Each structure stands twice: as C-alpha cells, then as structure tokens.
PDB file of all heavy atoms in Angstrom:
ATOM      1  N   GLY A  16       0.361   1.198   8.424  1.00  0.00           N
ATOM      2  CA  GLY A  16       0.831  -0.172   8.271  1.00  0.00           C
ATOM      3  C   GLY A  16       1.861  -0.302   7.155  1.00  0.00           C
ATOM      4  O   GLY A  16       2.864  -1.017   7.274  1.00  0.00           O
ATOM      5  N   ILE A  17       1.615   0.385   6.042  1.00  0.00           N
ATOM      6  CA  ILE A  17       2.578   0.381   4.958  1.00  0.00           C
ATOM      7  C   ILE A  17       3.863   1.090   5.358  1.00  0.00           C
ATOM      8  O   ILE A  17       4.972   0.657   5.026  1.00  0.00           O
ATOM      9  CB  ILE A  17       1.981   1.019   3.678  1.00  0.00           C
ATOM     10  CG1 ILE A  17       0.812   0.166   3.175  1.00  0.00           C
ATOM     11  CG2 ILE A  17       3.031   1.207   2.589  1.00  0.00           C
ATOM     12  CD1 ILE A  17       0.045   0.786   2.003  1.00  0.00           C
ATOM     13  N   ALA A  18       3.721   2.175   6.130  1.00  0.00           N
ATOM     14  CA  ALA A  18       4.877   2.915   6.607  1.00  0.00           C
ATOM     15  C   ALA A  18       5.799   2.031   7.452  1.00  0.00           C
ATOM     16  O   ALA A  18       7.008   2.034   7.280  1.00  0.00           O
ATOM     17  CB  ALA A  18       4.442   4.141   7.416  1.00  0.00           C
ATOM     18  N   GLN A  19       5.205   1.230   8.365  1.00  0.00           N
ATOM     19  CA  GLN A  19       6.046   0.350   9.196  1.00  0.00           C
ATOM     20  C   GLN A  19       6.750  -0.701   8.325  1.00  0.00           C
ATOM     21  O   GLN A  19       7.855  -1.125   8.654  1.00  0.00           O
ATOM     22  CB  GLN A  19       5.227  -0.295  10.308  1.00  0.00           C
ATOM     23  CG  GLN A  19       4.118  -1.247   9.884  1.00  0.00           C
ATOM     24  CD  GLN A  19       4.571  -2.665   9.563  1.00  0.00           C
ATOM     25  OE1 GLN A  19       5.625  -3.070  10.033  1.00  0.00           O
ATOM     26  NE2 GLN A  19       3.837  -3.359   8.721  1.00  0.00           N
ATOM     27  N   ALA A  20       6.104  -1.123   7.234  1.00  0.00           N
ATOM     28  CA  ALA A  20       6.735  -2.094   6.346  1.00  0.00           C
ATOM     29  C   ALA A  20       7.915  -1.485   5.600  1.00  0.00           C
ATOM     30  O   ALA A  20       8.856  -2.200   5.206  1.00  0.00           O
ATOM     31  CB  ALA A  20       5.709  -2.654   5.347  1.00  0.00           C
ATOM     32  N   LEU A  21       7.910  -0.172   5.421  1.00  0.00           N
ATOM     33  CA  LEU A  21       8.963   0.503   4.673  1.00  0.00           C
ATOM     34  C   LEU A  21      10.165   0.882   5.530  1.00  0.00           C
ATOM     35  O   LEU A  21      11.224   1.232   5.003  1.00  0.00           O
ATOM     36  CB  LEU A  21       8.416   1.772   4.020  1.00  0.00           C
ATOM     37  CG  LEU A  21       7.394   1.577   2.891  1.00  0.00           C
ATOM     38  CD1 LEU A  21       6.872   2.915   2.423  1.00  0.00           C
ATOM     39  CD2 LEU A  21       8.010   0.818   1.745  1.00  0.00           C
ATOM     40  N   ILE A  22       9.997   0.807   6.843  1.00  0.00           N
ATOM     41  CA  ILE A  22      11.104   1.190   7.735  1.00  0.00           C
ATOM     42  C   ILE A  22      12.298   0.237   7.518  1.00  0.00           C
ATOM     43  O   ILE A  22      12.129  -0.974   7.459  1.00  0.00           O
ATOM     44  CB  ILE A  22      10.641   1.154   9.214  1.00  0.00           C
ATOM     45  CG1 ILE A  22       9.667   2.316   9.460  1.00  0.00           C
ATOM     46  CG2 ILE A  22      11.834   1.271  10.161  1.00  0.00           C
ATOM     47  CD1 ILE A  22       9.055   2.327  10.847  1.00  0.00           C
ATOM     48  N   GLY A  23      13.464   0.841   7.357  1.00  0.00           N
ATOM     49  CA  GLY A  23      14.660   0.082   7.067  1.00  0.00           C
ATOM     50  C   GLY A  23      14.938  -0.043   5.561  1.00  0.00           C
ATOM     51  O   GLY A  23      15.918  -0.637   5.179  1.00  0.00           O
ATOM     52  N   ASP A  24      14.042   0.530   4.750  1.00  0.00           N
ATOM     53  CA  ASP A  24      14.193   0.502   3.293  1.00  0.00           C
ATOM     54  C   ASP A  24      14.403  -0.916   2.771  1.00  0.00           C
ATOM     55  O   ASP A  24      15.395  -1.182   2.069  1.00  0.00           O
ATOM     56  CB  ASP A  24      15.327   1.413   2.848  1.00  0.00           C
ATOM     57  CG  ASP A  24      15.287   1.669   1.343  1.00  0.00           C
ATOM     58  OD1 ASP A  24      14.176   1.588   0.756  1.00  0.00           O
ATOM     59  OD2 ASP A  24      16.345   1.968   0.773  1.00  0.00           O
ATOM     60  N   PRO A  25      13.496  -1.850   3.072  1.00  0.00           N
ATOM     61  CA  PRO A  25      13.649  -3.236   2.602  1.00  0.00           C
ATOM     62  C   PRO A  25      13.458  -3.289   1.090  1.00  0.00           C
ATOM     63  O   PRO A  25      12.714  -2.502   0.509  1.00  0.00           O
ATOM     64  CB  PRO A  25      12.526  -3.981   3.326  1.00  0.00           C
ATOM     65  CG  PRO A  25      11.473  -2.948   3.561  1.00  0.00           C
ATOM     66  CD  PRO A  25      12.233  -1.662   3.830  1.00  0.00           C
ATOM     67  N   LYS A  26      14.120  -4.259   0.472  1.00  0.00           N
ATOM     68  CA  LYS A  26      14.026  -4.395  -0.981  1.00  0.00           C
ATOM     69  C   LYS A  26      12.753  -5.121  -1.414  1.00  0.00           C
ATOM     70  O   LYS A  26      12.260  -4.931  -2.524  1.00  0.00           O
ATOM     71  CB  LYS A  26      15.249  -5.132  -1.527  1.00  0.00           C
ATOM     72  CG  LYS A  26      16.544  -4.345  -1.336  1.00  0.00           C
ATOM     73  CD  LYS A  26      17.734  -5.078  -1.912  1.00  0.00           C
ATOM     74  CE  LYS A  26      19.007  -4.280  -1.718  1.00  0.00           C
ATOM     75  NZ  LYS A  26      20.196  -4.988  -2.267  1.00  0.00           N
ATOM     76  N   LEU A  27      12.194  -5.961  -0.507  1.00  0.00           N
ATOM     77  CA  LEU A  27      10.986  -6.693  -0.799  1.00  0.00           C
ATOM     78  C   LEU A  27       9.870  -6.229   0.118  1.00  0.00           C
ATOM     79  O   LEU A  27      10.038  -6.175   1.327  1.00  0.00           O
ATOM     80  CB  LEU A  27      11.216  -8.200  -0.587  1.00  0.00           C
ATOM     81  CG  LEU A  27       9.960  -9.090  -0.662  1.00  0.00           C
ATOM     82  CD1 LEU A  27       9.359  -9.073  -2.058  1.00  0.00           C
ATOM     83  CD2 LEU A  27      10.292 -10.521  -0.234  1.00  0.00           C
ATOM     84  N   ILE A  28       8.721  -5.885  -0.486  1.00  0.00           N
ATOM     85  CA  ILE A  28       7.530  -5.473   0.275  1.00  0.00           C
ATOM     86  C   ILE A  28       6.425  -6.493  -0.012  1.00  0.00           C
ATOM     87  O   ILE A  28       6.094  -6.749  -1.177  1.00  0.00           O
ATOM     88  CB  ILE A  28       7.028  -4.076  -0.130  1.00  0.00           C
ATOM     89  CG1 ILE A  28       8.155  -3.052  -0.033  1.00  0.00           C
ATOM     90  CG2 ILE A  28       5.838  -3.666   0.712  1.00  0.00           C
ATOM     91  CD1 ILE A  28       8.626  -2.759   1.346  1.00  0.00           C
ATOM     92  N   ILE A  29       5.855  -7.080   1.044  1.00  0.00           N
ATOM     93  CA  ILE A  29       4.729  -7.996   0.899  1.00  0.00           C
ATOM     94  C   ILE A  29       3.491  -7.328   1.478  1.00  0.00           C
ATOM     95  O   ILE A  29       3.490  -6.913   2.628  1.00  0.00           O
ATOM     96  CB  ILE A  29       4.990  -9.337   1.627  1.00  0.00           C
ATOM     97  CG1 ILE A  29       6.195 -10.049   1.032  1.00  0.00           C
ATOM     98  CG2 ILE A  29       3.753 -10.234   1.531  1.00  0.00           C
ATOM     99  CD1 ILE A  29       6.554 -11.332   1.768  1.00  0.00           C
ATOM    100  N   LEU A  30       2.455  -7.187   0.632  1.00  0.00           N
ATOM    101  CA  LEU A  30       1.207  -6.541   1.058  1.00  0.00           C
ATOM    102  C   LEU A  30       0.088  -7.558   0.951  1.00  0.00           C
ATOM    103  O   LEU A  30      -0.228  -8.049  -0.124  1.00  0.00           O
ATOM    104  CB  LEU A  30       0.921  -5.328   0.146  1.00  0.00           C
ATOM    105  CG  LEU A  30       2.046  -4.281   0.072  1.00  0.00           C
ATOM    106  CD1 LEU A  30       1.690  -3.220  -0.976  1.00  0.00           C
ATOM    107  CD2 LEU A  30       2.284  -3.627   1.414  1.00  0.00           C
ATOM    108  N   ASP A  31      -0.540  -7.863   2.091  1.00  0.00           N
ATOM    109  CA  ASP A  31      -1.616  -8.847   2.143  1.00  0.00           C
ATOM    110  C   ASP A  31      -2.959  -8.121   2.293  1.00  0.00           C
ATOM    111  O   ASP A  31      -3.232  -7.530   3.358  1.00  0.00           O
ATOM    112  CB  ASP A  31      -1.375  -9.807   3.309  1.00  0.00           C
ATOM    113  CG  ASP A  31      -2.283 -11.035   3.252  1.00  0.00           C
ATOM    114  OD1 ASP A  31      -3.094 -11.113   2.300  1.00  0.00           O
ATOM    115  OD2 ASP A  31      -2.176 -11.889   4.125  1.00  0.00           O
ATOM    116  N   GLU A  32      -3.755  -8.130   1.251  1.00  0.00           N
ATOM    117  CA  GLU A  32      -5.071  -7.479   1.249  1.00  0.00           C
ATOM    118  C   GLU A  32      -5.006  -6.022   1.735  1.00  0.00           C
ATOM    119  O   GLU A  32      -5.676  -5.648   2.687  1.00  0.00           O
ATOM    120  CB  GLU A  32      -6.046  -8.281   2.101  1.00  0.00           C
ATOM    121  CG  GLU A  32      -6.223  -9.729   1.720  1.00  0.00           C
ATOM    122  CD  GLU A  32      -7.010  -9.921   0.435  1.00  0.00           C
ATOM    123  OE1 GLU A  32      -7.519  -8.925  -0.115  1.00  0.00           O
ATOM    124  OE2 GLU A  32      -7.121 -11.069  -0.017  1.00  0.00           O
ATOM    125  N   PRO A  33      -4.196  -5.177   1.098  1.00  0.00           N
ATOM    126  CA  PRO A  33      -3.970  -3.831   1.621  1.00  0.00           C
ATOM    127  C   PRO A  33      -5.164  -2.874   1.511  1.00  0.00           C
ATOM    128  O   PRO A  33      -5.155  -1.826   2.152  1.00  0.00           O
ATOM    129  CB  PRO A  33      -2.796  -3.325   0.787  1.00  0.00           C
ATOM    130  CG  PRO A  33      -2.906  -4.076  -0.507  1.00  0.00           C
ATOM    131  CD  PRO A  33      -3.406  -5.432  -0.136  1.00  0.00           C
ATOM    132  N   THR A  34      -6.171  -3.202   0.695  1.00  0.00           N
ATOM    133  CA  THR A  34      -7.296  -2.258   0.514  1.00  0.00           C
ATOM    134  C   THR A  34      -8.618  -2.768   1.106  1.00  0.00           C
ATOM    135  O   THR A  34      -9.648  -2.168   0.885  1.00  0.00           O
ATOM    136  CB  THR A  34      -7.507  -1.950  -0.956  1.00  0.00           C
ATOM    137  OG1 THR A  34      -7.857  -3.149  -1.679  1.00  0.00           O
ATOM    138  CG2 THR A  34      -6.270  -1.316  -1.587  1.00  0.00           C
ATOM    139  N   VAL A  35      -8.576  -3.863   1.849  1.00  0.00           N
ATOM    140  CA  VAL A  35      -9.798  -4.410   2.441  1.00  0.00           C
ATOM    141  C   VAL A  35     -10.413  -3.394   3.398  1.00  0.00           C
ATOM    142  O   VAL A  35      -9.743  -2.831   4.281  1.00  0.00           O
ATOM    143  CB  VAL A  35      -9.512  -5.726   3.200  1.00  0.00           C
ATOM    144  CG1 VAL A  35     -10.722  -6.148   4.029  1.00  0.00           C
ATOM    145  CG2 VAL A  35      -9.161  -6.833   2.219  1.00  0.00           C
ATOM    146  N   GLY A  36     -11.714  -3.137   3.228  1.00  0.00           N
ATOM    147  CA  GLY A  36     -12.434  -2.239   4.109  1.00  0.00           C
ATOM    148  C   GLY A  36     -12.293  -0.765   3.826  1.00  0.00           C
ATOM    149  O   GLY A  36     -12.829   0.058   4.593  1.00  0.00           O
ATOM    150  N   LEU A  37     -11.613  -0.417   2.736  1.00  0.00           N
ATOM    151  CA  LEU A  37     -11.426   0.984   2.415  1.00  0.00           C
ATOM    152  C   LEU A  37     -12.540   1.480   1.477  1.00  0.00           C
ATOM    153  O   LEU A  37     -13.120   0.705   0.738  1.00  0.00           O
ATOM    154  CB  LEU A  37     -10.058   1.215   1.752  1.00  0.00           C
ATOM    155  CG  LEU A  37      -8.813   0.799   2.537  1.00  0.00           C
ATOM    156  CD1 LEU A  37      -7.557   1.197   1.790  1.00  0.00           C
ATOM    157  CD2 LEU A  37      -8.831   1.392   3.939  1.00  0.00           C
ATOM    158  N   ASP A  38     -12.793   2.795   1.533  1.00  0.00           N
ATOM    159  CA  ASP A  38     -13.779   3.354   0.604  1.00  0.00           C
ATOM    160  C   ASP A  38     -13.108   3.561  -0.756  1.00  0.00           C
ATOM    161  O   ASP A  38     -11.878   3.471  -0.874  1.00  0.00           O
ATOM    162  CB  ASP A  38     -14.374   4.641   1.168  1.00  0.00           C
ATOM    163  CG  ASP A  38     -13.361   5.790   1.304  1.00  0.00           C
ATOM    164  OD1 ASP A  38     -12.475   5.937   0.460  1.00  0.00           O
ATOM    165  OD2 ASP A  38     -13.468   6.537   2.313  1.00  0.00           O
ATOM    166  N   PRO A  39     -13.882   3.836  -1.813  1.00  0.00           N
ATOM    167  CA  PRO A  39     -13.312   3.926  -3.171  1.00  0.00           C
ATOM    168  C   PRO A  39     -12.160   4.935  -3.288  1.00  0.00           C
ATOM    169  O   PRO A  39     -11.155   4.672  -3.966  1.00  0.00           O
ATOM    170  CB  PRO A  39     -14.501   4.350  -4.030  1.00  0.00           C
ATOM    171  CG  PRO A  39     -15.679   3.761  -3.303  1.00  0.00           C
ATOM    172  CD  PRO A  39     -15.364   3.903  -1.847  1.00  0.00           C
ATOM    173  N   LYS A  40     -12.282   6.090  -2.613  1.00  0.00           N
ATOM    174  CA  LYS A  40     -11.228   7.099  -2.708  1.00  0.00           C
ATOM    175  C   LYS A  40      -9.942   6.565  -2.031  1.00  0.00           C
ATOM    176  O   LYS A  40      -8.844   6.739  -2.572  1.00  0.00           O
ATOM    177  CB  LYS A  40     -11.677   8.386  -2.008  1.00  0.00           C
ATOM    178  CG  LYS A  40     -10.651   9.521  -2.064  1.00  0.00           C
ATOM    179  CD  LYS A  40     -11.232  10.788  -1.446  1.00  0.00           C
ATOM    180  CE  LYS A  40     -10.246  11.949  -1.544  1.00  0.00           C
ATOM    181  NZ  LYS A  40      -9.026  11.736  -0.768  1.00  0.00           N
ATOM    182  N   GLN A  41     -10.079   5.926  -0.897  1.00  0.00           N
ATOM    183  CA  GLN A  41      -8.924   5.376  -0.194  1.00  0.00           C
ATOM    184  C   GLN A  41      -8.265   4.252  -0.989  1.00  0.00           C
ATOM    185  O   GLN A  41      -7.052   4.129  -1.010  1.00  0.00           O
ATOM    186  CB  GLN A  41      -9.335   4.864   1.186  1.00  0.00           C
ATOM    187  CG  GLN A  41      -9.782   5.970   2.143  1.00  0.00           C
ATOM    188  CD  GLN A  41     -10.444   5.421   3.387  1.00  0.00           C
ATOM    189  OE1 GLN A  41     -10.994   4.322   3.383  1.00  0.00           O
ATOM    190  NE2 GLN A  41     -10.451   6.201   4.455  1.00  0.00           N
ATOM    191  N   ILE A  42      -9.087   3.442  -1.676  1.00  0.00           N
ATOM    192  CA  ILE A  42      -8.554   2.363  -2.523  1.00  0.00           C
ATOM    193  C   ILE A  42      -7.679   2.916  -3.606  1.00  0.00           C
ATOM    194  O   ILE A  42      -6.579   2.418  -3.874  1.00  0.00           O
ATOM    195  CB  ILE A  42      -9.714   1.518  -3.100  1.00  0.00           C
ATOM    196  CG1 ILE A  42     -10.358   0.671  -1.983  1.00  0.00           C
ATOM    197  CG2 ILE A  42      -9.197   0.604  -4.224  1.00  0.00           C
ATOM    198  CD1 ILE A  42     -11.626  -0.052  -2.438  1.00  0.00           C
ATOM    199  N   VAL A  43      -8.161   3.958  -4.274  1.00  0.00           N
ATOM    200  CA  VAL A  43      -7.370   4.594  -5.344  1.00  0.00           C
ATOM    201  C   VAL A  43      -6.052   5.124  -4.779  1.00  0.00           C
ATOM    202  O   VAL A  43      -4.989   4.972  -5.401  1.00  0.00           O
ATOM    203  CB  VAL A  43      -8.184   5.711  -6.011  1.00  0.00           C
ATOM    204  CG1 VAL A  43      -7.300   6.529  -6.953  1.00  0.00           C
ATOM    205  CG2 VAL A  43      -9.371   5.132  -6.770  1.00  0.00           C
ATOM    206  N   GLU A  44      -6.097   5.753  -3.612  1.00  0.00           N
ATOM    207  CA  GLU A  44      -4.883   6.305  -3.025  1.00  0.00           C
ATOM    208  C   GLU A  44      -3.865   5.227  -2.699  1.00  0.00           C
ATOM    209  O   GLU A  44      -2.680   5.360  -2.949  1.00  0.00           O
ATOM    210  CB  GLU A  44      -5.253   7.089  -1.737  1.00  0.00           C
ATOM    211  CG  GLU A  44      -6.028   8.380  -2.014  1.00  0.00           C
ATOM    212  CD  GLU A  44      -6.544   9.038  -0.756  1.00  0.00           C
ATOM    213  OE1 GLU A  44      -6.530   8.367   0.308  1.00  0.00           O
ATOM    214  OE2 GLU A  44      -6.949  10.197  -0.815  1.00  0.00           O
ATOM    215  N   ILE A  45      -4.353   4.092  -2.110  1.00  0.00           N
ATOM    216  CA  ILE A  45      -3.438   3.003  -1.777  1.00  0.00           C
ATOM    217  C   ILE A  45      -2.861   2.366  -3.034  1.00  0.00           C
ATOM    218  O   ILE A  45      -1.690   2.016  -3.103  1.00  0.00           O
ATOM    219  CB  ILE A  45      -4.154   1.953  -0.899  1.00  0.00           C
ATOM    220  CG1 ILE A  45      -4.551   2.538   0.465  1.00  0.00           C
ATOM    221  CG2 ILE A  45      -3.250   0.723  -0.702  1.00  0.00           C
ATOM    222  CD1 ILE A  45      -3.381   3.003   1.318  1.00  0.00           C
ATOM    223  N   ARG A  46      -3.693   2.222  -4.076  1.00  0.00           N
ATOM    224  CA  ARG A  46      -3.193   1.656  -5.328  1.00  0.00           C
ATOM    225  C   ARG A  46      -2.113   2.540  -5.929  1.00  0.00           C
ATOM    226  O   ARG A  46      -1.094   2.034  -6.428  1.00  0.00           O
ATOM    227  CB  ARG A  46      -4.344   1.490  -6.329  1.00  0.00           C
ATOM    228  CG  ARG A  46      -5.276   0.316  -6.009  1.00  0.00           C
ATOM    229  CD  ARG A  46      -6.408   0.244  -6.990  1.00  0.00           C
ATOM    230  NE  ARG A  46      -7.320  -0.858  -6.698  1.00  0.00           N
ATOM    231  CZ  ARG A  46      -8.434  -1.104  -7.349  1.00  0.00           C
ATOM    232  NH1 ARG A  46      -8.806  -0.312  -8.359  1.00  0.00           N
ATOM    233  NH2 ARG A  46      -9.205  -2.131  -7.020  1.00  0.00           N
ATOM    234  N   ASN A  47      -2.308   3.843  -5.879  1.00  0.00           N
ATOM    235  CA  ASN A  47      -1.301   4.756  -6.417  1.00  0.00           C
ATOM    236  C   ASN A  47      -0.015   4.644  -5.608  1.00  0.00           C
ATOM    237  O   ASN A  47       1.092   4.690  -6.170  1.00  0.00           O
ATOM    238  CB  ASN A  47      -1.814   6.209  -6.382  1.00  0.00           C
ATOM    239  CG  ASN A  47      -2.896   6.474  -7.413  1.00  0.00           C
ATOM    240  OD1 ASN A  47      -2.974   5.762  -8.426  1.00  0.00           O
ATOM    241  ND2 ASN A  47      -3.714   7.469  -7.177  1.00  0.00           N
ATOM    242  N   LEU A  48      -0.145   4.474  -4.307  1.00  0.00           N
ATOM    243  CA  LEU A  48       1.024   4.327  -3.448  1.00  0.00           C
ATOM    244  C   LEU A  48       1.780   3.038  -3.798  1.00  0.00           C
ATOM    245  O   LEU A  48       3.005   3.019  -3.868  1.00  0.00           O
ATOM    246  CB  LEU A  48       0.591   4.313  -1.990  1.00  0.00           C
ATOM    247  CG  LEU A  48       1.699   4.062  -0.936  1.00  0.00           C
ATOM    248  CD1 LEU A  48       2.816   5.092  -1.074  1.00  0.00           C
ATOM    249  CD2 LEU A  48       1.117   4.104   0.469  1.00  0.00           C
ATOM    250  N   ILE A  49       1.027   1.972  -4.050  1.00  0.00           N
ATOM    251  CA  ILE A  49       1.663   0.702  -4.407  1.00  0.00           C
ATOM    252  C   ILE A  49       2.457   0.824  -5.705  1.00  0.00           C
ATOM    253  O   ILE A  49       3.564   0.296  -5.855  1.00  0.00           O
ATOM    254  CB  ILE A  49       0.615  -0.441  -4.515  1.00  0.00           C
ATOM    255  CG1 ILE A  49       0.006  -0.733  -3.131  1.00  0.00           C
ATOM    256  CG2 ILE A  49       1.217  -1.723  -5.103  1.00  0.00           C
ATOM    257  CD1 ILE A  49      -1.202  -1.666  -3.187  1.00  0.00           C
ATOM    258  N   ARG A  50       1.878   1.548  -6.685  1.00  0.00           N
ATOM    259  CA  ARG A  50       2.573   1.760  -7.965  1.00  0.00           C
ATOM    260  C   ARG A  50       3.911   2.474  -7.718  1.00  0.00           C
ATOM    261  O   ARG A  50       4.925   2.141  -8.329  1.00  0.00           O
ATOM    262  CB  ARG A  50       1.720   2.589  -8.904  1.00  0.00           C
ATOM    263  CG  ARG A  50       0.504   1.848  -9.455  1.00  0.00           C
ATOM    264  CD  ARG A  50      -0.126   2.662 -10.572  1.00  0.00           C
ATOM    265  NE  ARG A  50      -1.413   2.125 -10.948  1.00  0.00           N
ATOM    266  CZ  ARG A  50      -2.585   2.580 -10.530  1.00  0.00           C
ATOM    267  NH1 ARG A  50      -2.606   3.611  -9.700  1.00  0.00           N
ATOM    268  NH2 ARG A  50      -3.723   2.030 -10.907  1.00  0.00           N
ATOM    269  N   ILE A  51       3.879   3.479  -6.824  1.00  0.00           N
ATOM    270  CA  ILE A  51       5.108   4.217  -6.513  1.00  0.00           C
ATOM    271  C   ILE A  51       6.142   3.315  -5.861  1.00  0.00           C
ATOM    272  O   ILE A  51       7.320   3.328  -6.186  1.00  0.00           O
ATOM    273  CB  ILE A  51       4.777   5.442  -5.614  1.00  0.00           C
ATOM    274  CG1 ILE A  51       3.921   6.448  -6.397  1.00  0.00           C
ATOM    275  CG2 ILE A  51       6.060   6.092  -5.106  1.00  0.00           C
ATOM    276  CD1 ILE A  51       3.374   7.568  -5.539  1.00  0.00           C
ATOM    277  N   LEU A  52       5.672   2.486  -4.912  1.00  0.00           N
ATOM    278  CA  LEU A  52       6.593   1.549  -4.242  1.00  0.00           C
ATOM    279  C   LEU A  52       7.233   0.603  -5.215  1.00  0.00           C
ATOM    280  O   LEU A  52       8.384   0.187  -5.062  1.00  0.00           O
ATOM    281  CB  LEU A  52       5.821   0.747  -3.181  1.00  0.00           C
ATOM    282  CG  LEU A  52       5.275   1.508  -1.962  1.00  0.00           C
ATOM    283  CD1 LEU A  52       4.500   0.559  -1.053  1.00  0.00           C
ATOM    284  CD2 LEU A  52       6.398   2.182  -1.190  1.00  0.00           C
TER     285      LEU A  52
END
C-alpha cells in the first residue's frame, strides 16, 4: 500500500492509520520506513 502511494514520486504522502493490525516487529519496520520517507 505504501509502495502504490510512492509511485510517481509524489512530494506529499498521506498515511492513514498505517500500522493498524500489525504485530510489534511490523510496526517498528513501518515506523522506520516512515522516517525514511
């Protein structure tokens, strides 16, 4: 889902509840990805 949002290299990314339903390890991974973005 985040990958499709990045297609076209948009300058603005809107993420609505991106970690809902994820386990703790997945939450950390998504948070790290958001920091990079």
Side-chain angles (χ1 to χ4, degrees):
I17 294 174
Q19 65 81 24
L21 292 176
I22 290 175
D24 194 25
K26 295 181 180 179
L27 171 65
I28 307 292
I29 298 176
L30 305 174
D31 192 359
E32 303 287 355
T34 62
V35 169
L37 302 185
D38 65 38
K40 181 176 183 294
Q41 293 168 336
I42 288 173
V43 170
E44 291 172 346
I45 295 298
R46 286 178 180 175
N47 288 337
L48 176 57
I49 293 170
R50 289 191 191 98
I51 294 171
L52 294 177

